[in-house]
Amino acid sequence: MIFRPEKLKIKDQRMTPFIDSDELWGYLNTAPATKAQVREVIAKSLDKQRLTLAETATLINATDPDLIEEIKQGARTLKEKVYGQRIVLFAPLYIGNHCTNNCAYCGFKASNKKIKRVTLDHDDLVAQVKALENTGQKRLILVYGEHPGYDADFIAESVRTVYSVKSGPGEIRRVNINAAPMDIDGFRIIKDSKIGTYQIFQETYHRDTYAKVHLGGKKRDFDWRLTGLDRAQEAGIDDVGIGALFGLYDWRFEVLGLVRHTNHFEAVYNVGPHTISFPRIQYASELNIDQSHMVSDAEFTRLVAILRLAVPYTGLILTARESAAVRDEIMQFGVSQIDGGTNIEMGGYSKRKENEDQDIDLEQFQINDNRSLNEIMDDLIEHRYIPSFCTACYRLGRTGEHFMEFSVPGFIKRFCQPNALMTLAEYLEDYAPAETKVKGYELIREKLDEIEDESFKTTLTGKIEQIKNGTRDLYF
Ligand code: SAM
Ligand code: SF4
């Protein structure tokens, strides 16, 4: 075992609320952060061990600029040494923005009369998916407001529709979900539609703050939401994503909340969450929140680096809420997935032209990275990241892929990187303009040259040739 889940206090914590504010503040108020202690904690993470709450609090409490730099360097080293330079790409697709909740931070809140309410019908959905496929997307996350119309059957049906749409060489190979928590039967229905990850963000792990910003609807129930992904696990969905909306409460507390949530899954289900998201609050129609906990860019960078070290084998998602400059800066500290070519306007992928201003009354919030998928590909390639559309683990039933990447020696070299290169080659053949194609193949050649195992290099080179000759969807 390379990690040691903290001991359970009671025998079975399934579906038991596990957040204790006093406990988390206790760690933050007492964790020492001397140079020696911070270095010891960083070394433990680089030794591939997940950090405890107390150790995470030590990193959070380090405020000396040199120590913060060491934490960032630690996160960078972990990313480079363990994960390499792959970045997985996806796009969000909003299916419906009707909502019965009143979340103070969200443009879709029920009380917002300015917002234009839309639910994509079958034809609208097909048009969105075709438009996304035509740019090269292979992985989507479907997003829904919370509304009786968006029940488990509706969500499952939309997933099946997305998988069924093919446009030219395009197809969506993995559909993730971000939607309200369901009951166990609901999660079973959704699981049967073959989703990838089910994401639910707790928004804030601080109960009092949660009550202050969730002003109406079912989402007011903190515990129902907190235990939502436990019910998903009970229904057999073992690929789940957690998140906190940074800016609602003290970021230090939220980081510990995310680590506590991770510990809970490890202790009870023997598997951590697949991904952690850390959206920062952005401008939204009728935004109405206390702004005293807004997170600065410097704090944001710190918290991403700390999360990387605290949960070294969990995927980290950084979205287009952040500007291109912030994303470029923060990616190096261990981000594994970003969205590209993002458009969160209802129906926007088939309608809106590139670089057109956002219509905030059709959107949940404002995004700050409006670059097209190809612009993002160019940027990644230029910075020597390997853009990946890989969906192999999910399709081969290799669940716990991040954990395997991290813990199985050679897994990344044998599976992840070659699959990333093959999906990149597909993109270059089917969607890239000439200039991107030239640069993309230069990167592929560079990465092929780095492979030491000659027989594997020959196999992979052969597969890339097959892709050039028209074969698609190859993976290890
Ligand atoms: N309605 C579902 C729910 O609440 O679980 C889906 C979630 S919503 C469509 C996706 C996420 O966007 C929310 O969980 C929240 O964290 C985030 N979000 C909401 N308003 C935001 C804002 N103003 N800025 C940034 N992120 C926001
Ligand atoms: Fe509705 Fe989700 Fe927005 Fe809350 S965050 S108002 S639940 S769409």
Side-chain angles (χ1 to χ4, degrees):
M1 286 292 272
I2 60 158
F3 71 88
R4 285 184 289 276
E6 276 152 11
K7 287 260 181 304
L8 285 183
K9 291 201 186 90
I10 50 176
K11 199 159 178 261
D12 188 353
Q13 287 190 338
R14 278 179 306 162
M15 288 176 278
T16 306
F18 46 85
I19 290 289
D20 176 344
S21 288
D22 292 341
E23 180 197 23
L24 299 189
W25 271 120
Y27 286 118
L28 289 168
N29 289 331
T30 56
T34 63
K35 199 177 269 186
Q37 279 151 329
V38 170
R39 286 182 178 165
E40 199 179 307
V41 172
I42 297 172
K44 181 177 172 190
S45 174
L46 292 179
D47 191 34
K48 296 192 170 188
Q49 296 184 59
R50 201 257 292 139
L51 302 181
T52 62
L53 289 168
E55 288 160 345
T56 309
T58 288
L59 296 185
I60 292 172
N61 285 348
T63 49
D64 175 89
D66 291 341
L67 281 182
I68 292 175
E69 224 20 75
E70 287 188 34
I71 290 170
K72 284 158 65 177
Q73 186 50 46
R76 216 183 268 126
T77 305
L78 192 68
K79 167 144 176 80
E80 278 164 15
K81 280 207 177 140
V82 178
Y83 291 106
Q85 295 302 89
R86 286 167 307 118
I87 297 279
V88 170
L89 286 151
F90 70 96
L93 172 56
Y94 279 70
I95 305 293
N97 68 359
H98 286 269
C99 195
T100 46
N101 293 324
N102 260 318
C103 309
Y105 45 82
C106 177
F108 292 166
K109 61 171 114 27
S111 64
N112 187 359
K113 302 296 173 221
K114 285 191 193 155
I115 207 89
K116 296 170 199 152
R117 304 283 169 180
V118 180
T119 302
L120 301 184
D121 65 17
H122 182 269
D123 291 351
D124 293 335
L125 178 54
V126 170
Q128 298 310 299
V129 177
K130 282 189 174 165
L132 283 155
E133 287 176 356
N134 291 344
T135 63
Q137 302 280 4
K138 296 283 185 279
R139 304 168 59 112
L140 299 185
I141 180 151
L142 308 187
V143 188
Y144 308 76
E146 180 161 4
H147 189 268
Y150 308 147
D151 61 7
D153 288 312
F154 175 87
I155 292 178
E157 190 52 38
S158 52
V159 173
R160 280 190 284 270
T161 303
V162 170
Y163 280 130
S164 72
V165 176
K166 314 276 174 204
S167 179
E171 59 181 356
I172 299 303
R173 297 177 183 156
R174 178 174 175 132
V175 177
N176 299 332
I177 300 289
N178 184 318
M182 302 273 148
D183 59 18
I184 295 175
D185 286 343
F187 277 122
R188 283 204 183 101
I189 293 171
I190 294 173
K191 178 182 163 56
D192 286 346
S193 67
K194 308 218 176 331
I195 60 160
T197 310
Y198 199 104
Q199 284 185 349
I200 300 174
F201 303 159
Q202 186 59 27
E203 318 299 8
T204 171
Y205 287 93
H206 189 252
R207 277 177 193 275
D208 293 349
T209 304
Y210 190 94
K212 276 186 207 144
V213 295
H214 295 106
L215 303 167
K218 217 171 163 183
K219 195 165 167 181
R220 279 183 62 71
D221 187 339
F222 179 94
D223 289 336
W224 175 254
R225 195 165 180 90
L226 189 66
T227 53
L229 292 172
D230 285 54
R231 292 189 297 284
Q233 297 271 3
E234 294 295 316
I237 300 176
D238 58 2
D239 187 330
V240 298
I242 63 173
L245 181 57
F246 281 88
L248 294 177
Y249 187 57
D250 193 314
W251 67 267
R252 301 170 306 151
F253 183 91
E254 305 295 13
V255 168
L256 276 199
L258 289 166
V259 175
R260 181 68 189 87
H261 205 157
T262 302
N263 299 357
H264 169 77
F265 281 128
E266 285 172 356
V268 181
Y269 302 101
N270 214 15
V271 56
H274 188 149
T275 54
I276 294 183
S277 300
F278 30 85
R280 261 198 304 187
I281 291 183
Q282 307 298 327
Y283 175 71
S285 169
E286 302 283 282
L287 181 72
N288 176 21
I289 51 154
D290 158 15
Q291 308 216 348
S292 57
H293 293 295
M294 287 299 167
V295 174
S296 70
D297 286 355
E299 289 166 333
F300 194 55
T301 311
R302 258 172 88 193
L303 78 84
V304 175
I306 291 169
L307 276 174
R308 174 68 302 148
L309 292 171
V311 288
Y313 43 82
T314 306
L316 296 185
I317 302 181
L318 179 63
T319 69
R321 288 174 180 85
E322 303 298 335
S323 66
V326 168
R327 295 222 284 180
D328 280 353
E329 164 68 15
I330 283 183
M331 252 179 330
Q332 58 181 313
F333 301 115
V335 169
S336 46
Q337 292 190 30
I338 63 169
D339 51 343
T342 299
N343 183 327
I344 62 170
E345 195 172 298
M346 300 301 309
Y349 287 110
S350 62
K351 280 185 225 135
R352 214 173 74 196
K353 295 180 203 76
E354 249 171 59
N355 302 325
E356 198 180 329
D357 282 344
Q358 289 178 246
D359 179 352
I360 203 68
D361 289 333
L362 270 173
E363 293 177 326
Q364 191 186 16
F365 49 80
Q366 187 173 332
I367 59 165
N368 290 298
D369 187 352
N370 286 304
R371 288 174 297 171
S372 68
L373 178 60
N374 198 73
E375 284 172 302
I376 300 229
M377 297 292 285
D378 280 339
D379 194 41
L380 291 174
I381 292 167
E382 197 181 315
H383 288 93
R384 274 10 207 175
Y385 287 107
I386 309 172
S388 175
F389 296 94
C390 179
T391 53
C393 283
Y394 150 73
R395 290 161 79 211
L396 292 169
R398 284 195 302 242
T399 49
E401 66 195 75
H402 280 290
F403 185 66
M404 282 191 283
E405 286 172 25
F406 186 79
S407 60
V408 178
F411 189 90
I412 291 179
K413 275 193 186 158
R414 180 73 184 78
F415 297 100
C416 311
Q417 182 145 321
N419 287 340
L421 293 174
M422 287 193 285
T423 57
L424 172 59
E426 273 193 353
Y427 175 85
L428 298 175
E429 290 300 321
D430 293 337
Y431 303 103
E435 208 177 310
T436 307
K437 196 167 172 178
V438 171
K439 290 186 178 161
Y441 273 117
E442 274 168 21
L443 178 68
I444 291 177
R445 254 190 310 277
E446 256 173 57
K447 295 297 163 190
L448 284 171
D449 286 346
E450 286 169 12
I451 298 176
E452 286 161 9
D453 177 341
E454 285 302 325
S455 128
F456 187 66
K457 190 193 290 189
T458 309
T459 307
L460 181 56
T461 308
K463 287 191 184 287
I464 302 260
E465 283 308 309
Q466 277 178 269
I467 291 168
K468 285 183 183 168
N469 292 327
T471 308
R472 293 288 170 269
D473 204 14
L474 298 174
Y475 50 86
F476 292 102

